[in-house]
Amino acid sequence: MSVEERLSKIEKRLGAIEKQLAARHKPQTSWLKYWLFTTDHKQVGILYFVTSFYFLFIGGILALLMRTQLAFPLNTLLTGAAYNQAVSMHGLIMVLWFLSPLGAAFANYFVPLQIGAKDVAFPRFNAFSYWMYAFGGLVAISGFFVPGGAAAAGWTNYAPLNSKLFLPGGGETLIGLGLLMLWGSLTMGGVNLVATILVMRAPGMTWMKVPPFTFFTLITQLMLLWSVPSIFSGTLALVVDRALGSLFFVSAGGSSILWDHMWWFFGHPEVYVVILPGLGAAAEIFSVFSGRPLYAKKMIFVALALGMLPFSFAIYGHHMYLTGINALQREYLTTNTEINTLPSGVIVLCFAATMIGGAVKYKTPMLMALGSIATFIIGGITGVFDSSLFLDVQLRGSYQVVSHFHYIMVGTAEFALFGAIYYWLPRWTGRMYNETVGKIHFILSFVFFNMLFFPMTFLFEMPRRIYTYLPSTGWGPFNLIETIGAWGFGLAQILLLYVMIEMATFGKPAGPNPWNVSSPEWTGDAEAYVKNYPAVYATGSVALDGGVHSHAHASTPLNSSPLLISGGLALFFAGLVWALPVSLVGIVIAFWGVGIWFKDDLYGLFKVPEEPPGEKWPLNHMSHVRVGVWLTLAGEMILFTAIIGSYLFIRENVPIWPPPASIHNIHLATFNTLLLFSSAMTVFMALYSIRQGNRNGFVGWMIGSFALGAGFLSIKMYEWWDLLNRNPPFNIASGLPGSTYYFMTGIHAAHILVGLAFMVFLITKGLKGGFTAQNHDAVEYFALYWAFVDIVWIFLFPLLYLI
Amino acid sequence: MAFQSAILQVPTTRAAWEYIYALYSYFGIACAVVTFAIILYFCVRYRSKIETSLSPLDPRTRENRDSKWKGVALIYLLMAIVLITVGSQSIATYNAMSTVPNSPTTLHINVIAHQFAWTFVYPNGFTSEDLAVVPTNAIVVFNVTSRDVYHQFGIPYFRVKTDAIPGRVNQVWIETTDPGNFTVQCFELCGVGHATMIGTLAIVDPATFSQWYASTSPGGI
């Protein structure tokens, strides 16, 4: 690198610093407004971080309550009902509202920096995703304050215990509603991060040059994108069961096994979703603190993409060994589950091998990462016991399993994420943590963690989720040791809180790059990273391109609609259980938010900085919006596959099904189908017109499509009205034929309704001259969506009306 | 409360389970010891001897020049050997144990789980709550189902367990040996009484059993 180049780089840096200083002198928006309306990925990341610790606190208190109850046989601190609420909410909160969002916090903050993107692909959806997560959690937790208490059917919410018949309280409904919001959040977050990583990498940032944490995040988010739709449809069916009386999970046709499939198709990949962000951070930490490149990075990437990603879905059935599934399936699952330990083993040993030839510095992040893989080895080996079909006959539902998955989730995931906190927080705060306290925190956590979970491995005769046991079982001493370990582990986390607060307030200035890392999130220079020359560190200013200190300087504008829509939705959902007027207020607020969103789009008020061309292989010709649209449609496809699959499952398990012709008006339905298909044609005519630059044609065809779509919906509503007034009644609660019919047509109708709202937007914008022959991407995306909705109907129509 | 009298023979199901468990334990402990030894060796051998701040990465070492496939392949190979050994044993034993052995004294009992007790239905229609009386040296087949929610039927001493699901029947069998009282417990969260959903399997000598069974009548307790 020549001197001139270096000089020009330094000049560029100085220019950036000057600009930033100028930005600081601008009048600032108020602190509160800034944090509530921010769409900047760094601030959203920090919001995720803080919120996940709030949920950690709640989940931790619940865990301590349970452990205290179990310390002695026949203890009376908690009743059976209270214990069931604690155990269910602890699991749900820790897995879904603490661990994976903590990973998402780092992903939000560091992925764009690591790949040299200005922000994530869809900043507004990013903020939306955060608020849906936070409010979804509040809706779920509010179950503690309704009569009957919070959800109490375990974190898996097994059917039919989750039905209104067995758990009539509002808590189970609230967890369903909270989960629905969370699934929305995870899907938006997934689309966002995947699109960002796929097409917004800096020039030269090819797949094998991507920093490990980013690659681990990509795999995590792909798993979420493909697994969440299944449980979304399951949760929706559960909520409809509880609210409207449909029979998906309370009749013999659907019930337990259907829920098992839907839950575990999500639940098993979720385990990897929990550990992968942490392991990604551990990969960076091992490399940095050994001063060596990550051992066999390519092999790790291949193991993740070709091993863990597909296998996490293929083996979900091993959670159902004892349900009576057939022998071939059981052998297939045992074999594949054991195969799936291979990529995990390779990853761990490659992390360890990274130390070879290095000069390992045992700072707190490194200790945490070592603790993480140590617990991964123990948890992995106890997991191989569970993967064995024959051993599972005794181990399933016992404390051995509790030990195994806590070793993975608390041990591997949480220790690695704690490592990430020590490693990356100096980047956020610009200050260094207290090394001594950090090390004490690690030692205490590690010792008490093992004291808590290791004895459980031997308690394979003790059932999970029991609130009491007899002294004669001999489990008492084990449980007492575990409880002491639990309190020790819980109290040790006060040190973490202390470290973080001390670091943010009194810590010594860390400088721009305290670990001397070449990774772009520290140097701010993705180009230097991929071209393999030392970056020119930005001196004199910490947290140069963001960080909490410069929060007045945002790259994306503030926007209030994500907060309003999520908050409104949360009020609407919670009101369904608490008091209906709250719901009405919620709806008004949510629509207000949607209005702001549409208005901003209509007038182009929400401006995101133009992304410079970068590394996109293999999607070289796709913009990030187009990638996002396709990812969303892929998610939708899995959603409808799950729904149609469940329908076929139900049909197979219900021997007597009334012939559709005896119920439905097939002539009307056929006519309606034709209406919908003709609307697809008119939408494409509209697209064709705008491609020719014919604005009037566009608006005309669009209005025609709207009329056809609205016609379809009206006939559908007439059909429902007609069926509801039959004698004997054909409604959602009258049997599985009714439940499936209204559920499936209802979801499809909701898609049509969203489409109609989009059409109103497109027509308004078209009338204002917002689309031209060159600039009409929104129309194309809408045409894709509308075609998708029609294709879905191609499947639903014969299934519901003809077969 | 696992047993009252001294146990002389180990039941078949328990013996098979203990064998597989021991096999997994030996391999598991061996793998753990080897892995931890390697990692500890790396930790000590490559520790930094200079107590300064971190030195910057040499840019030339940042990229992997040499292929690491040999090390990775070795890890795969060793893990695969271990997994194939234990996995094939496990599957073979499972298959061997999934057919009910032939025996002159086979007793079929239907188990109906419900919140929060077990109902045992004998071939003569006699039903009993939370107590199953069976003879020694016999094969006992349990056909397990549920009347309300998802339960799990387990007899920990015999190392057998199966899901009790409404609308489905799952089968497990045990071979009784010595007399004694054994715990039957629910292993799936089924509601507020999950912890106390405990029944007793009483194994008595055949003479006592025949006498008792002859005195039972359909529906009686």
Side-chain angles (χ1 to χ4, degrees):
Chain A
M1 187 174 166
S2 68
V3 179
E4 286 81 23
E5 268 179 89
R6 263 170 188 276
L7 276 177
S8 79
K9 280 197 79 68
I10 291 171
E11 264 169 31
K12 250 172 40 194
R13 281 277 158 231
L14 285 175
I17 292 168
E18 262 169 38
K19 241 195 230 164
Q20 201 182 6
L21 286 176
R24 281 187 192 178
H25 289 112
K26 276 184 199 164
Q28 297 187 1
T29 42
S30 85
W31 180 85
L32 187 66
K33 195 175 160 193
Y34 182 79
W35 282 101
L36 290 178
F37 298 159
T38 183
T39 58
D40 186 282
H41 72 101
K42 296 184 287 293
Q43 272 66 45
V44 172
I46 291 169
L47 285 173
Y48 263 111
F49 185 83
V50 173
T51 315
S52 72
F53 271 89
Y54 167 73
F55 287 113
L56 169 67
F57 179 72
I58 295 174
I61 295 288
L62 292 174
L64 287 179
L65 280 173
M66 288 189 291
R67 275 321 319 169
T68 312
Q69 160 69 17
L70 289 175
F72 306 103
L74 300 176
N75 202 359
T76 52
L77 177 70
L78 297 179
T79 61
Y83 187 89
N84 285 357
Q85 291 174 36
V87 77
S88 309
M89 293 303 285
H90 164 76
L92 286 159
I93 289 173
M94 286 302 207
V95 174
L96 298 169
W97 274 286
F98 163 59
L99 279 171
S100 42
L102 184 56
F106 289 120
N108 253 298
Y109 199 107
F110 290 116
V111 163
L113 299 182
Q114 280 199 328
I115 61 173
K118 284 215 170 63
D119 203 301
V120 289
F122 309 101
R124 231 178 336 173
F125 276 104
N126 200 24
F128 194 12
S129 164
Y130 164 73
W131 288 109
M132 288 286 270
Y133 147 72
F135 281 116
L138 294 181
V139 168
I141 286 176
S142 71
F144 281 115
F145 308 106
V146 297
W155 91 282
T156 52
N157 291 297
Y158 268 5
L161 183 61
N162 59 11
S163 64
K164 206 151 191 159
L165 190 62
F166 300 106
L167 286 175
E172 191 66 33
T173 313
L174 283 170
I175 196 77
L177 295 166
L179 284 174
L180 281 180
M181 292 187 73
L182 183 73
W183 306 145
S185 154
L186 292 176
T187 308
M188 287 186 286
V191 169
N192 225 329
L193 283 167
V194 172
T196 309
I197 299 171
L198 283 182
V199 292
M200 291 169 72
R201 283 166 287 144
M205 181 78 74
T206 55
W207 283 117
M208 288 303 160
K209 282 186 176 161
V210 164
F213 178 71
T214 295
F215 197 85
F216 277 66
T217 302
L218 174 71
I219 300 294
T220 311
Q221 298 298 333
L222 281 175
M223 281 177 183
L224 272 178
L225 265 185
W226 292 335
S227 65
V228 162
S230 150
I231 193 58
F232 179 88
S233 58
T235 317
L236 194 60
L238 172 65
V239 169
V240 172
D241 261 14
R242 294 185 64 90
L244 304 175
S246 61
L247 304 167
F248 292 107
F249 300 120
V250 287
S251 61
S255 195
S256 314
I257 303 289
L258 179 61
W259 178 265
D260 273 10
H261 280 293
M262 287 178 138
W263 180 267
W264 288 118
F265 187 79
F266 158 77
H268 194 73
E270 173 64 21
V271 178
Y272 298 87
V273 167
V274 164
I275 61 167
L276 283 183
L279 286 181
E284 307 255 351
I285 292 169
F286 267 100
S287 164
V288 166
F289 290 87
S290 309
R292 294 285 300 156
L294 184 63
Y295 185 89
K297 180 177 166 186
K298 291 175 189 178
M299 300 284 185
I300 293 178
F301 283 13
V302 170
L304 279 174
L306 301 181
M308 234 182 217
L309 181 59
F311 269 95
S312 68
F313 291 93
I315 62 179
Y316 79 91
H318 67 205
H319 294 270
M320 298 160 63
Y321 275 155
L322 301 188
T323 55
I325 51 178
N326 69 46
L328 182 69
Q329 249 177 314
R330 286 188 300 234
E331 282 180 19
Y332 159 85
L333 288 168
T334 300
T335 315
N336 280 357
T337 307
E338 293 194 350
I339 290 175
N340 194 42
T341 46
L342 292 173
S344 322
V346 164
I347 288 168
V348 165
L349 289 169
C350 287
F351 283 7
T354 303
M355 293 189 280
I356 296 174
V360 184
K361 300 270 192 333
Y362 294 104
K363 303 277 183 195
T364 314
M366 184 63 184
L367 292 175
M368 287 286 180
L370 278 168
S372 166
I373 63 161
T375 51
F376 197 35
I377 291 164
I378 298 176
I381 288 173
T382 54
V384 175
F385 282 61
D386 297 323
S387 79
S388 156
L389 180 54
F390 190 62
L391 289 180
D392 200 51
V393 170
Q394 175 57 34
L395 300 178
R396 186 184 173 319
S398 78
Y399 260 83
Q400 196 272 353
V401 176
V402 179
S403 164
H404 157 64
F405 69 72
H406 279 95
Y407 260 93
I408 299 294
M409 297 223 185
V410 184
T412 314
E414 200 177 344
F415 275 111
L417 288 168
F418 283 171
I421 291 175
Y422 284 100
Y423 173 61
W424 272 323
L425 245 59
R427 172 70 182 74
W428 290 8
T429 59
R431 291 165 187 278
M432 210 50 179
Y433 63 88
N434 185 327
E435 191 65 54
T436 320
V437 184
K439 277 181 177 150
I440 296 173
H441 170 231
F442 166 73
I443 292 167
L444 289 181
S445 297
F446 193 72
V447 170
F448 283 121
F449 166 82
N450 282 296
M451 193 170 159
L452 166 55
F453 292 113
F454 199 68
M456 287 184 190
T457 310
F458 306 106
L459 285 179
F460 51 72
E461 290 195 3
M462 180 174 172
R464 278 170 80 173
R465 296 159 172 161
I466 54 171
Y467 74 97
T468 188
Y469 52 93
L470 293 169
S472 58
T473 52
W475 302 329
F478 285 90
N479 277 289
L480 186 61
I481 295 172
E482 287 159 21
T483 303
I484 296 168
W487 275 96
F489 185 71
L491 292 175
Q493 304 321 313
I494 293 174
L495 288 180
L496 177 67
L497 199 66
Y498 167 78
V499 164
M500 291 197 293
I501 292 172
E502 199 247 22
M503 164 168 35
T505 48
F506 309 109
K508 277 183 286 183
N513 192 350
W515 310 119
N516 273 322
V517 187
S518 59
S519 192
E521 82 267 25
W522 292 97
T523 62
D525 196 342
E527 202 189 334
Y529 180 75
V530 295
K531 296 224 171 110
N532 219 6
Y533 58 79
V536 178
Y537 296 133
T539 47
S541 157
V542 285
L544 185 76
D545 49 3
V548 282
H549 289 298
S550 54
H551 68 248
H553 171 70
S555 56
T556 50
L558 299 181
N559 197 289
S560 58
S561 40
L563 173 68
L564 291 175
I565 301 174
S566 319
L569 208 57
L571 285 179
F572 170 67
F573 279 165
L576 293 179
V577 177
W578 301 338
L580 280 178
V582 180
S583 288
L584 292 178
V585 176
I587 282 210
V588 172
I589 295 176
F591 274 105
W592 181 24
V594 174
I596 292 177
W597 190 302
F598 272 179
K599 200 186 93 198
D600 286 356
D601 274 352
L602 203 59
Y603 297 103
L605 294 178
F606 188 82
K607 282 227 186 307
V608 183
E610 196 71 25
E611 190 66 31
E615 196 64 49
K616 290 182 169 192
W617 189 87
L619 305 171
N620 290 341
H621 301 294
M622 285 174 95
S623 71
H624 62 264
V625 185
R626 185 172 293 261
V627 172
V629 169
W630 277 109
L631 286 171
T632 313
L633 286 182
E636 288 266 30
M637 213 146 77
I638 295 168
L639 172 71
F640 279 102
T641 312
I643 291 172
I644 292 170
S646 309
Y647 175 76
L648 295 175
F649 180 93
I650 290 172
R651 284 294 292 267
E652 203 178 291
N653 284 284
V654 177
I656 303 158
W657 198 271
S662 67
I663 301 165
H664 299 299
N665 183 345
I666 293 180
H667 299 292
L668 186 65
T670 312
F671 173 70
N672 212 11
T673 306
L674 286 178
L675 270 192
L676 187 64
F677 290 171
S678 18
S679 79
M681 196 192 69
T682 50
V683 163
F684 277 93
M685 287 309 292
L687 177 61
Y688 183 74
S689 307
I690 197 69
R691 271 188 190 155
Q692 309 288 322
N694 177 356
R695 261 190 250 160
N696 292 335
F698 165 73
V699 171
W701 283 115
M702 220 53 195
I703 290 174
S705 317
F706 183 86
L708 287 168
F712 174 84
L713 210 56
S714 315
I715 292 181
K716 179 110 283 162
M717 281 157 104
Y718 165 76
E719 206 178 279
W720 289 342
W721 178 79
D722 178 43
L723 286 168
L724 287 171
N725 289 311
R726 290 280 175 80
N727 194 21
F730 184 81
N731 56 39
I732 198 160
S734 67
L736 277 173
S739 299
T740 48
Y741 169 79
Y742 286 104
F743 187 73
M744 289 161 82
T745 52
I747 288 184
H748 186 257
H751 278 81
I752 298 274
L753 206 60
V754 170
L756 291 180
F758 263 107
M759 284 197 221
V760 172
F761 169 76
L762 292 178
I763 292 168
T764 324
K765 193 159 181 179
L767 282 173
K768 285 178 174 298
F771 297 117
T772 59
Q774 284 77 37
N775 181 12
H776 56 268
D777 286 352
V779 184
E780 253 175 68
Y781 303 141
F782 172 74
L784 271 176
Y785 171 80
W786 197 252
F788 172 79
V789 173
D790 286 10
I791 291 169
V792 167
W793 189 249
I794 293 179
F795 288 95
L796 294 192
F797 175 60
L799 282 175
L800 291 171
Y801 293 88
L802 303 180
I803 302 175
Chain B
M1 209 167 51
F3 44 84
Q4 286 179 341
S5 60
I7 300 295
L8 306 172
Q9 285 171 277
V10 181
T12 332
T13 43
R14 185 183 170 104
W17 190 88
E18 298 278 318
Y19 163 68
I20 297 290
Y21 187 75
L23 187 74
Y24 272 72
S25 300
Y26 293 144
F27 275 101
I29 292 169
C31 289
V33 167
V34 170
T35 322
F36 279 123
I38 292 172
I39 293 176
L40 274 180
Y41 171 74
F42 288 165
C43 284
V44 176
R45 166 79 176 74
Y46 299 110
R47 72 190 185 281
S48 170
K49 276 130 194 153
I50 328 150
E51 264 310 307
T52 56
S53 65
L54 295 165
S55 55
L57 268 180
D58 180 353
R60 278 164 304 180
T61 65
R62 212 190 287 153
E63 281 291 308
N64 279 328
R65 294 282 177 230
D66 51 333
S67 156
K68 297 289 196 302
W69 69 271
K70 279 177 195 158
V72 174
L74 185 71
I75 301 169
Y76 272 119
L77 187 72
L78 290 176
M79 284 183 73
I81 290 171
V82 172
L83 289 172
I84 289 169
T85 316
V86 295
S88 58
Q89 280 290 304
S90 163
I91 291 178
T93 318
Y94 186 89
N95 288 344
M97 300 299 286
S98 43
T99 41
V100 184
N102 287 322
S103 163
T105 45
T106 301
L107 180 63
H108 282 266
I109 298 179
N110 292 338
V111 183
I112 301 163
H114 57 97
Q115 288 179 329
F116 297 95
W118 306 98
T119 303
F120 297 97
V121 184
Y122 281 76
N124 68 355
F126 172 72
T127 62
S128 158
E129 287 283 297
D130 277 343
L131 175 69
V133 182
V134 297
T136 55
N137 297 316
I139 301 288
V140 185
V141 180
F142 296 99
N143 298 308
V144 184
T145 187
S146 165
R147 200 161 73 200
D148 39 41
V149 301
Y150 207 127
H151 301 273
Q152 198 174 51
F153 174 81
I155 314 173
Y157 178 76
F158 285 87
R159 306 281 188 255
V160 293
K161 208 179 271 180
T162 195
D163 287 347
I165 304 170
R168 274 176 181 250
V169 179
N170 289 326
Q171 204 177 56
V172 289
W173 63 272
I174 58 170
E175 185 182 25
T176 60
T177 50
D178 298 289
N181 287 340
F182 301 93
T183 308
V184 175
Q185 194 159 6
C186 179
F187 278 79
E188 184 58 70
L189 182 64
C190 58
V192 288
H194 169 54
T196 51
M197 190 166 161
I198 302 173
T200 305
L201 175 73
I203 302 180
V204 296
D205 60 86
T208 322
F209 176 77
S210 325
Q211 204 184 351
W212 169 82
Y213 193 55
S215 73
T216 59
S217 57
I221 297 283

